[in-house]
Each structure stands twice: as C-alpha cells, then as structure tokens.
Amino acid sequence: MALSPVRARMALKAQEALFVCRRCMHDQPSTSPRFRLLRNQRASTPKKPLYQPIRTHIRSQSTISATHQPSSPLAALSQTISRQAAPSTTPKPSSFPATSTPSVAYWLLASATSVFGIVVFGGLTRLTESGLSITEWRPVTGSFPPLDPQTWEAEFARYRQSPEFKMLNSRMTVDEFKKIYWMEWTHRLWGRVVGLTFLIPTAYFVARRRVSARMAVKLVGICGLIGFQGAIGWWMVKSGLKDDLLETGSHPRVSQYRLATHLGTAFVAYLAMLWNGLEILRENRLVRDPEAGLKLLETLKHPSLRLFRRSVAGLSGLIFVTAISGALVAGLDAGLVYNNFPWMGQNILPPKREMLDPFYSHTPDHSDLVWRNMFENPVLAQLDHRVLATTTFTAVLALWAYSRYSPAVRKLLPRSGKMGMLGLVHLVVLGISTLWFFVPTPLAAAHQAGALALLSGVVVLGGRVWVPQRTMRLVKNAVEQAQGKSGSLLGRRGPDAMMRAKLARPVSV
C-alpha cells in the first residue's frame, strides 16, 4: 500500500497513541490507569452489528418511498411529469458574453457618423425647399430614380399637383425640378442605407453572440427607432402636400410640430448609437486594466463630483430642448423675422402685440393664447430660441468655470473630462452669424451641425464622468478574477515548490 510521507507518519503516531491489542490489555496489570480506562470504555460501549447502519439506511429509504408512493397509476404519471417539469435551482449560464466586442463599438460609431451626416443633409434639403419634390412614399420601389424622359415627365406631373408648385414654383421647368428632386431622393436613399446597415449587422452580432444580452436589447430598440423615423419622415412630408392641412393663404411648408418630431427622433437615434458605442469601448478599456479602472471609477464616484455629473446631465437636456426649439424656428421660417442680435427691432424684446398675437388663438376666450404663440407665432418662437440659446451659452461657460476654479473638481476630474469641456461655445457664434447674414444656406446648415456637435460633446463628457453600476460590477469582477489568477500562479511557484514535490512522492509501507 502506497502512502504519502505525511499520512504514513500520522498513521504511525495514531497507532502508538490510541490502539492497543486485546492480548496486551489482558497481560498488563489491572492497576495501570491507562489500560483500566481503555477496558472500561470498551466494556461500556454497546456492541452494534456491522450491518446495523445499512439496515437503518434501508429502513429510512423505504419509509420515504412509502410516504411518497402514489396511490394510483395516474398519480404516478403526474408525479413523474412534475419531477421532470420542476425547474433547476442552479441558474443556467447565459450564452451572451458579459461585455460586447470592440468591433460592435466601432460599427455603432460609424452608424452614428452616418446619422450625423443625414441630419445635416436633411437640413440642406429643407433650406433648398426640396423636401416636397417627391409626392409619394414608396419604401422599396422609390429607391430607383427616373431614368428616361417619360418617367421624369410623370414625376413632374405629380409634383405640379402639389400646393408648393401652384403657389411658389408655377414657372418651374423639368430641369429645375430635377435639382430639387435629386436632393430629396438622396436624403431618402441615405435613410434606407442607414436602416439596412444597422439592421443586418444587428442580426449578425446578436446571432453570433458578439454583444451582451443588455446590448442586444438596445440594438433591437434602435432598429425599431430607425423604422419609426422613416414613418415620421413621410408623416412630416405629407403635411405639406395637402391643402386641407395648410392654413388659408399660408406658405406651403411642412408642419413645424412634425418637423420637430422628425428632428428629435433623429437626435435620439444618433445619441443612442454614440452613447452605446462609447460605453462598449469604455468597458473594454476598464476591464483590460481592472485595477487602474477600479481606481478611476472610485475617483469619479467621489461626492465632490456629484454636482458636476448632474450639471452635465442637465446641460445635455438643455441643449436638446434648444435644438428642438430651433426646429420650430425652421418650420415657421422665423429666422427671417428679426436679423439682429441681441436686438429685436428697437429693443431687446419685440412689442407685446407681436409676441402674443390673438390671431394665433383658436378659442373664443383666448385660453390657448400663450402656448399657441409659443409654437406657431414666428416672433415668439424666435424669442424663445434666443432665450434658450443664451441660457445654454451661459450654462456652458458656468460649467467650464466650475470645473476649472473649483479646487475639488479640478483635482478629481480626469484629463479626459477637462478636455471635454473645451470647445463648447461655437453654437452661439454660428447662431448669431446666421441671423446677421439673413440665414444663408451654408451658415444655417453649419448652425444645425454645430448644435448636434455641441450635444455630442456634452454626451461624450457625460460618458467620461458617469459611473454606471454595471460597469463598476464588471470591473470589480475582473479585479477578483485577476487576483485569483495571480494567487494560483504564486501557489504553483516559489521556494516551497520543491519541498511539496518531494513530500508528494509515494512511499511503500
């Protein structure tokens, strides 16, 4: 029999200290206290047969089986089915990984860049008054443009039935129509490309388990949001194609409410792609070096940075509302009313009669006078946008001053957060230039792009200082796994390894 040296020594010591044979006990004198104690213990211990534990176990098992024995074959079948259908107490491991792969993040950021471009191009389409050139919504067949003169004539004939042609472009030729047609067709085709290049990779990444379960749900939600955005786009265009949706004698244009909804949905889809892409990259970067990542997250969770994080969240909401108010200004052509800043006419504020015009009220008691003028009066809509833009500009400067001159925030804020605070003042400069130069198309497009860029900068800053609970949990698990691996490596190496190897050799006894 082969035993290890340690077990062999313990067995020898136990035999010497505890075991005495029966003959030695009889041969030793009865006056020996040790043998007298052993003999008394053996005599007082009741003798049990060897098969007694086995009999007890069999009796207990038979009692249990008799207790649960079904009374009929139907009851036995029901008991068997219930036993098979009983859920397992141990949770099944998920087939999705804990973190998404970096390739998903790069694809999300590329999709966000494409959405950024289509938002800017959509602004150009509106500024050139090309959005109403295509009077039908054909999601599949509309992808193919007219290629022969007969098809162009048919398309131009449909456009001649629209209110925009009858009231504004009654002298337009086919060649002039082609210019605005290509703008709207490119905008719609770009939207289809955005949808396909997001839907197909989403199905691939989810099927191949390249994303976490939480991220898979988010990607499916963004796909639904993109499809919803396309439906909203046609709903918006439709408001400018029918006479019954336009006020008598008004300029043929899309509803400012639907335009704001269309732009707001595009902003939400863009921000969802940007935020989730940056989140995946951040998680992978922190998990790659978990100890440094945990230290950074604990620093960001310091109570001194709580006000800064909340201020960044509030600033992002303020910029979003300002951008949506800009969509109302664009839908009403309110930028053409007053073109000085900060003056509106002779004063900072326009006359009260112009701000609260009873013409826009739809009730006899004028109970809707205030909110109707806020959303439908070009004068008050531009004033609201100016107030929101000035408030945004002041908030950006205040947050920058707080991050620079507060000792606690300046000490704890990482370098990436400090860099994110720079360059957030270009929106107001572009907006003032747009008013001064009577809304030129390049500056107006740059103004819209600047609004989205400013919102992107604040979102990036928020992603750098925000500490999600899931990210903290992933980093802590990575730290524990790293410590466990280092402990196992230390256990396999060291000066005691040779001694343990020698003691592990079997010996013969």
Side-chain angles (χ1 to χ4, degrees), residues 132-152:
L132 301 178
S133 59
I134 301 179
T135 58
E136 293 180 346
W137 189 43
R138 295 169 292 178
V140 179
T141 59
S143 304
F144 304 98
L147 299 177
D148 53 77
Q150 293 79 11
T151 311
W152 277 114

Side-chain angles (χ1 to χ4, degrees), residues 18-280:
L18 299 178
F19 296 99
V20 181
C21 65
R22 183 175 301 177
R23 182 174 180 179
C24 293
M25 291 179 63
H26 284 285
D27 293 343
Q28 293 292 332
S30 60
T31 57
S32 174
R34 177 183 177 186
F35 289 98
R36 189 185 304 115
L37 178 61
L38 291 175
R39 188 170 56 249
N40 294 337
Q41 288 180 354
R42 290 174 62 89
S44 61
T45 302
K47 296 182 179 180
K48 294 182 180 180
L50 180 62
Y51 56 85
Q52 183 67 25
I54 302 176
R55 180 185 298 175
T56 305
H57 178 71
I58 295 175
R59 188 182 296 115
S60 62
Q61 292 294 329
S62 62
T63 305
I64 294 175
S65 61
T67 304
H68 296 280
Q69 185 176 4
S71 58
S72 63
L74 184 62
L77 179 61
S78 175
Q79 186 176 357
T80 304
I81 295 175
S82 62
R83 254 195 247 103
Q84 293 177 355
S88 178
T89 56
T90 59
K92 296 182 179 180
S94 176
S95 58
F96 290 93
T99 58
S100 304
T101 57
S103 58
V104 179
Y106 298 136
W107 160 70
L108 281 172
L109 295 179
S111 300
T113 305
S114 181
V115 174
F116 188 99
I118 195 176
V119 168
V120 177
F121 192 82
L124 290 173
T125 305
R126 176 186 54 80
L127 291 169
T128 56
E129 297 183 351
S130 306
L132 301 178
S133 59
I134 301 179
T135 58
E136 293 180 346
W137 189 43
R138 295 169 292 178
V140 179
T141 59
S143 304
F144 304 98
L147 299 177
D148 53 77
Q150 293 79 11
T151 311
W152 277 114
E153 286 293 339
E155 198 72 36
F156 186 48
R158 283 190 287 267
Y159 176 69
R160 286 198 298 264
Q161 303 299 321
S162 65
E164 184 179 68
F165 178 83
K166 295 177 181 179
M167 299 179 64
L168 297 178
N169 301 327
S170 58
R171 301 191 179 192
M172 178 178 286
T173 62
V174 177
D175 294 334
E176 293 174 342
F177 170 72
K178 289 181 179 180
K179 295 179 182 179
I180 62 174
Y181 182 91
W182 284 119
M183 289 287 294
E184 176 65 13
W185 181 83
T186 304
H187 181 62
R188 294 192 183 191
L189 181 65
W190 198 338
R192 295 183 179 96
V193 171
V194 169
L196 290 177
T197 56
F198 198 90
L199 178 62
I200 296 176
T202 295
Y204 171 78
F205 286 131
V206 173
R208 300 288 294 178
R209 297 298 190 269
R210 299 293 180 86
V211 295
S212 61
R214 179 168 169 268
M215 187 58 61
V217 175
K218 290 183 178 181
L219 295 181
V220 173
I222 297 176
C223 288
L225 187 61
I226 293 175
F228 183 62
Q229 169 71 355
I232 290 178
W234 170 246
W235 178 61
M236 177 193 67
V237 171
K238 188 179 178 181
S239 64
L241 296 176
K242 292 186 177 182
D243 295 329
D244 56 350
L245 297 177
L246 300 173
E247 297 181 3
T248 304
S250 64
H251 184 86
R253 56 173 173 252
V254 299
S255 169
Q256 70 274 17
Y257 299 107
R258 301 187 185 187
L259 176 62
T261 305
H262 186 56
L263 182 66
T265 308
F267 273 32
V268 171
Y270 166 77
L271 294 177
M273 297 175 186
L274 178 64
W275 177 270
N276 288 293
L278 295 176
E279 182 183 10
I280 293 174

Side-chain angles (χ1 to χ4, degrees), residues 264-322:
T265 308
F267 273 32
V268 171
Y270 166 77
L271 294 177
M273 297 175 186
L274 178 64
W275 177 270
N276 288 293
L278 295 176
E279 182 183 10
I280 293 174
L281 291 179
R282 188 189 188 199
E283 286 181 355
N284 283 274
R285 184 172 61 254
L286 294 176
V287 171
R288 193 179 305 117
D289 189 0
E291 295 183 357
L294 183 60
K295 184 179 179 181
L296 175 62
L297 294 179
E298 291 177 350
T299 302
L300 292 176
K301 288 190 67 176
H302 196 277
S304 301
L305 292 178
R306 185 178 306 165
L307 178 61
F308 183 81
R309 291 196 302 269
R310 293 178 178 177
S311 300
V312 171
L315 181 60
S316 61
L318 179 61
I319 296 174
F320 183 83
V321 173
T322 305

Side-chain angles (χ1 to χ4, degrees), residues 353-374:
R353 176 72 181 181
E354 294 184 6
M355 288 191 299
L356 300 175
D357 193 345
F359 172 77
Y360 297 97
S361 178
H362 294 182
T363 57
D365 57 349
H366 299 304
S367 58
D368 60 344
L369 180 65
V370 177
W371 75 266
R372 285 281 184 183
N373 278 271
M374 289 179 62

Side-chain angles (χ1 to χ4, degrees), residues 386-398:
R386 289 187 180 207
V387 172
L388 288 171
T390 306
T391 305
T392 301
F393 176 69
T394 307
V396 169
L397 291 182

